[in-house]
Short mmCIF file of all heavy atoms in Angstrom, two decimals:
data_model
loop_
_atom_site.label_atom_id
_atom_site.label_comp_id
_atom_site.label_asym_id
_atom_site.label_seq_id
_atom_site.Cartn_x
_atom_site.Cartn_y
_atom_site.Cartn_z
N GLN A 29 92.56 77.41 107.91
CA GLN A 29 92.43 76.26 106.97
C GLN A 29 91.13 75.48 107.06
O GLN A 29 90.70 74.81 106.12
CB GLN A 29 93.65 75.30 107.17
CG GLN A 29 95.03 75.96 106.80
CD GLN A 29 96.17 75.06 107.20
OE1 GLN A 29 96.33 74.63 108.28
NE2 GLN A 29 96.96 74.86 106.12
N VAL A 30 90.50 75.47 108.27
CA VAL A 30 89.28 74.78 108.42
C VAL A 30 88.10 75.60 108.06
O VAL A 30 88.05 76.83 108.28
CB VAL A 30 89.04 74.41 109.87
CG1 VAL A 30 87.87 73.64 110.14
CG2 VAL A 30 90.36 73.59 110.44
N ARG A 31 87.19 75.01 107.33
CA ARG A 31 86.10 75.89 106.62
C ARG A 31 85.30 76.57 107.64
O ARG A 31 85.03 77.74 107.40
CB ARG A 31 85.17 74.85 105.79
CG ARG A 31 84.23 75.58 104.90
CD ARG A 31 83.48 74.67 104.07
NE ARG A 31 82.57 75.33 103.16
CZ ARG A 31 81.41 75.85 103.44
NH1 ARG A 31 80.86 75.66 104.69
NH2 ARG A 31 80.64 76.51 102.60
N TRP A 32 84.80 75.94 108.67
CA TRP A 32 83.91 76.68 109.66
C TRP A 32 84.76 77.83 110.37
O TRP A 32 84.09 78.86 110.69
CB TRP A 32 83.30 75.70 110.59
CG TRP A 32 84.28 75.10 111.63
CD1 TRP A 32 84.91 73.92 111.54
CD2 TRP A 32 84.65 75.65 112.89
NE1 TRP A 32 85.70 73.68 112.62
CE2 TRP A 32 85.55 74.72 113.46
CE3 TRP A 32 84.36 76.79 113.65
CZ2 TRP A 32 86.15 74.88 114.67
CZ3 TRP A 32 84.91 76.95 114.89
CH2 TRP A 32 85.86 76.07 115.42
N LYS A 33 86.00 77.65 110.60
CA LYS A 33 86.75 78.70 111.17
C LYS A 33 86.97 79.87 110.13
O LYS A 33 86.96 81.02 110.54
CB LYS A 33 88.14 78.18 111.53
CG LYS A 33 88.14 77.34 112.72
CD LYS A 33 89.53 77.02 113.18
CE LYS A 33 89.67 76.23 114.44
NZ LYS A 33 91.00 75.86 114.87
N ARG A 34 87.05 79.53 108.84
CA ARG A 34 87.13 80.63 107.90
C ARG A 34 85.85 81.47 107.83
O ARG A 34 85.94 82.69 107.68
CB ARG A 34 87.41 80.07 106.41
CG ARG A 34 88.75 79.41 106.29
CD ARG A 34 89.16 79.37 104.73
NE ARG A 34 88.15 78.61 103.99
CZ ARG A 34 88.30 77.28 103.81
NH1 ARG A 34 89.39 76.65 104.25
NH2 ARG A 34 87.38 76.67 103.09
N VAL A 35 84.70 80.84 108.03
CA VAL A 35 83.46 81.52 107.93
C VAL A 35 83.27 82.38 109.24
O VAL A 35 83.03 83.60 109.13
CB VAL A 35 82.24 80.51 107.87
CG1 VAL A 35 80.96 81.33 107.94
CG2 VAL A 35 82.35 79.76 106.54
N LEU A 36 83.58 81.91 110.37
CA LEU A 36 83.50 82.62 111.55
C LEU A 36 84.44 83.76 111.57
O LEU A 36 84.18 85.01 111.94
CB LEU A 36 83.75 81.76 112.77
CG LEU A 36 82.64 80.71 113.12
CD1 LEU A 36 83.01 79.91 114.32
CD2 LEU A 36 81.25 81.37 113.39
N HIS A 37 85.77 83.55 111.20
CA HIS A 37 86.74 84.60 111.11
C HIS A 37 86.44 85.71 110.08
O HIS A 37 86.74 86.84 110.27
CB HIS A 37 88.16 83.91 110.87
CG HIS A 37 88.79 83.46 112.03
ND1 HIS A 37 89.68 84.24 112.81
CD2 HIS A 37 88.68 82.26 112.74
CE1 HIS A 37 90.06 83.52 113.83
NE2 HIS A 37 89.47 82.35 113.79
N GLY A 38 85.78 85.24 109.01
CA GLY A 38 85.32 86.17 107.99
C GLY A 38 84.34 87.15 108.52
O GLY A 38 84.30 88.40 108.32
N ILE A 39 83.33 86.62 109.24
CA ILE A 39 82.32 87.52 109.94
C ILE A 39 82.97 88.49 110.93
O ILE A 39 82.65 89.63 110.91
CB ILE A 39 81.20 86.63 110.63
CG1 ILE A 39 80.44 85.83 109.57
CG2 ILE A 39 80.31 87.57 111.40
CD1 ILE A 39 79.54 84.72 110.19
N ASN A 40 83.89 87.96 111.68
CA ASN A 40 84.60 88.75 112.68
C ASN A 40 85.47 89.82 112.01
O ASN A 40 85.48 90.96 112.43
CB ASN A 40 85.47 87.95 113.57
CG ASN A 40 86.22 88.68 114.57
OD1 ASN A 40 85.66 89.40 115.42
ND2 ASN A 40 87.47 88.67 114.61
N PHE A 41 86.12 89.44 110.88
CA PHE A 41 86.89 90.44 110.17
C PHE A 41 86.12 91.56 109.64
O PHE A 41 86.46 92.75 109.77
CB PHE A 41 87.63 89.72 108.99
CG PHE A 41 88.36 90.73 108.04
CD1 PHE A 41 89.62 91.31 108.45
CD2 PHE A 41 87.83 91.17 106.91
CE1 PHE A 41 90.19 92.19 107.69
CE2 PHE A 41 88.44 92.01 106.04
CZ PHE A 41 89.64 92.52 106.40
N TRP A 42 84.93 91.29 108.99
CA TRP A 42 84.17 92.35 108.37
C TRP A 42 83.51 93.17 109.49
O TRP A 42 83.24 94.38 109.26
CB TRP A 42 83.16 91.80 107.49
CG TRP A 42 83.72 91.33 106.17
CD1 TRP A 42 83.88 90.15 105.62
CD2 TRP A 42 84.36 92.26 105.28
NE1 TRP A 42 84.59 90.13 104.46
CE2 TRP A 42 84.89 91.37 104.12
CE3 TRP A 42 84.63 93.65 105.10
CZ2 TRP A 42 85.60 91.92 103.07
CZ3 TRP A 42 85.29 94.13 104.08
CH2 TRP A 42 85.70 93.35 103.00
N PHE A 43 83.23 92.65 110.69
CA PHE A 43 82.75 93.48 111.83
C PHE A 43 83.89 94.39 112.25
O PHE A 43 83.61 95.57 112.38
CB PHE A 43 82.33 92.59 112.95
CG PHE A 43 82.10 93.34 114.14
CD1 PHE A 43 80.97 94.11 114.34
CD2 PHE A 43 82.95 93.35 115.28
CE1 PHE A 43 80.70 94.90 115.42
CE2 PHE A 43 82.65 94.04 116.41
CZ PHE A 43 81.60 94.82 116.58
N VAL A 44 85.08 93.95 112.42
CA VAL A 44 86.22 94.71 112.81
C VAL A 44 86.58 95.82 111.70
O VAL A 44 86.61 97.03 111.99
CB VAL A 44 87.46 93.90 113.08
CG1 VAL A 44 88.70 94.79 113.36
CG2 VAL A 44 87.24 93.01 114.28
N PHE A 45 86.63 95.31 110.48
CA PHE A 45 86.99 96.24 109.37
C PHE A 45 85.87 97.26 109.10
O PHE A 45 86.21 98.41 108.88
CB PHE A 45 87.31 95.42 108.14
CG PHE A 45 87.68 96.19 106.92
CD1 PHE A 45 88.99 96.65 106.88
CD2 PHE A 45 86.81 96.53 105.92
CE1 PHE A 45 89.43 97.42 105.82
CE2 PHE A 45 87.26 97.26 104.82
CZ PHE A 45 88.53 97.70 104.75
N GLY A 46 84.69 96.86 109.14
CA GLY A 46 83.56 97.76 108.87
C GLY A 46 83.21 98.74 110.00
O GLY A 46 83.16 99.86 109.78
N PHE A 47 83.17 98.18 111.26
CA PHE A 47 82.62 99.11 112.31
C PHE A 47 83.78 99.74 113.01
O PHE A 47 83.71 101.06 113.32
CB PHE A 47 81.92 98.22 113.38
CG PHE A 47 81.40 99.06 114.55
CD1 PHE A 47 80.28 99.81 114.29
CD2 PHE A 47 81.94 98.99 115.82
CE1 PHE A 47 79.73 100.60 115.33
CE2 PHE A 47 81.44 99.65 116.87
CZ PHE A 47 80.37 100.49 116.65
N TRP A 48 84.84 99.13 113.22
CA TRP A 48 86.00 99.76 114.00
C TRP A 48 86.98 100.54 113.10
O TRP A 48 87.75 101.33 113.52
CB TRP A 48 86.77 98.72 114.82
CG TRP A 48 85.89 98.07 115.82
CD1 TRP A 48 85.55 96.77 115.92
CD2 TRP A 48 85.36 98.71 117.05
NE1 TRP A 48 84.74 96.57 117.03
CE2 TRP A 48 84.69 97.70 117.78
CE3 TRP A 48 85.34 100.02 117.56
CZ2 TRP A 48 83.99 97.99 118.95
CZ3 TRP A 48 84.69 100.25 118.66
CH2 TRP A 48 83.98 99.25 119.41
N MET A 49 87.01 100.25 111.77
CA MET A 49 87.98 100.88 110.94
C MET A 49 87.28 101.80 109.86
O MET A 49 87.61 103.00 109.85
CB MET A 49 88.82 99.85 110.19
CG MET A 49 89.63 98.92 111.20
SD MET A 49 90.50 97.59 110.45
CE MET A 49 91.65 98.46 109.49
#
Side-chain angles (χ1 to χ4, degrees):
Q29 295 178 303
V30 182
R31 188 175 185 277
W32 67 269
K33 287 186 177 181
R34 288 202 302 267
V35 175
L36 291 180
H37 278 266
I39 296 172
N40 181 56
F41 171 78
W42 284 113
F43 171 72
V44 173
F45 183 75
F47 183 71
W48 297 113
M49 298 173 68

